[in-house]
Amino acid sequence: MGNRDALKTALSTIIDNAVKFTAEKGHVIIKMYSENEFLIISITNSFDKLSAEDLAKIFEPFFRTEQSPAAGSGLGLAIAKKIVERHGGSIKAGNSEEGLQIEVGLPMTGER
Ligand SMILES: Nc1ncnc2c1ncn2[C@@H]1O[C@H](COP(=O)(O)OP(=O)(O)OP(=O)(O)O)[C@@H](O)[C@H]1O
Ligand SMILES: [Mg+2]
């Protein structure tokens, strides 16, 4: 249950980032699975590890890391976070072996 257009905006924002921040010959890995009544969508792209400070701020409006290789206003992830949270879900960012990972968890049942 959810707002189709809003969820589409949230996911396409995250995927757009993954594509635009990946260097040539890098990769984007998208995984989707269910876990305890939650739908987990994980989007990972090749990227150097981000500092703990950057990871903590990445969802703040207008925040962009110093190593941002592509243009942007720094709003995409802040909007995606709001949309996910309005659906009772959560979003987090972390470094993984494969690069920067953004993980969205959305409840598969319940209120809109
Ligand atoms: N997939 C990613 N790989 C590497 N860095 C990322 C990734 N996603 C986000 N970031 C970092 O987090 C910052 C914030 O992302 P966000 O999507 O909010 O802004 P943006 O892409 O710069 O601009 P906008 O989305 O508003 O056009 C980015 O500028 C970049 O520094
Ligand atoms: Mg963006």
Side-chain angles (χ1 to χ4, degrees), residues 3-4 8 11 13 18 21 30 34 38 40 50-51 53 58 62 64 66 77-78 82 85 90-92 98 107 110 112:
N3 183 310
R4 181 186 293 264
K8 216 167 160 180
L11 291 175
T13 294
F21 291 120
I30 301 176
S34 61
F38 274 78
I40 312 292
L50 294 189
S51 66
E53 210 177 31
I58 206 167
F62 304 112
R64 307 193 71 230
E66 299 230 325
L77 285 182
K82 285 271 181 218
E85 289 177 348
S90 63
I91 186 168
K92 59 188 182 190
E98 269 108 9
R112 236 195 258 208

Side-chain angles (χ1 to χ4, degrees), residues 33-78:
Y33 53 91
S34 61
E35 197 175 80
N36 304 326
E37 307 285 307
F38 274 78
L39 175 67
I40 312 292
I41 304 161
S42 150
I43 296 124
T44 306
N45 61 289
S46 311
F47 206 77
D48 290 341
K49 285 195 176 11
L50 294 189
S51 66
E53 210 177 31
D54 281 350
L55 287 174
K57 288 190 179 160
I58 206 167
F59 298 105
E60 285 179 10
F62 304 112
F63 177 77
R64 307 193 71 230
T65 68
E66 299 230 325
Q67 73 229 70
S68 259
S73 60
L75 284 173
L77 285 182

Side-chain angles (χ1 to χ4, degrees), residues 11-23:
L11 291 175
S12 57
T13 294
I14 299 165
I15 294 167
D16 174 64
N17 279 348
V19 172
K20 84 174 176 180
F21 291 120
T22 301

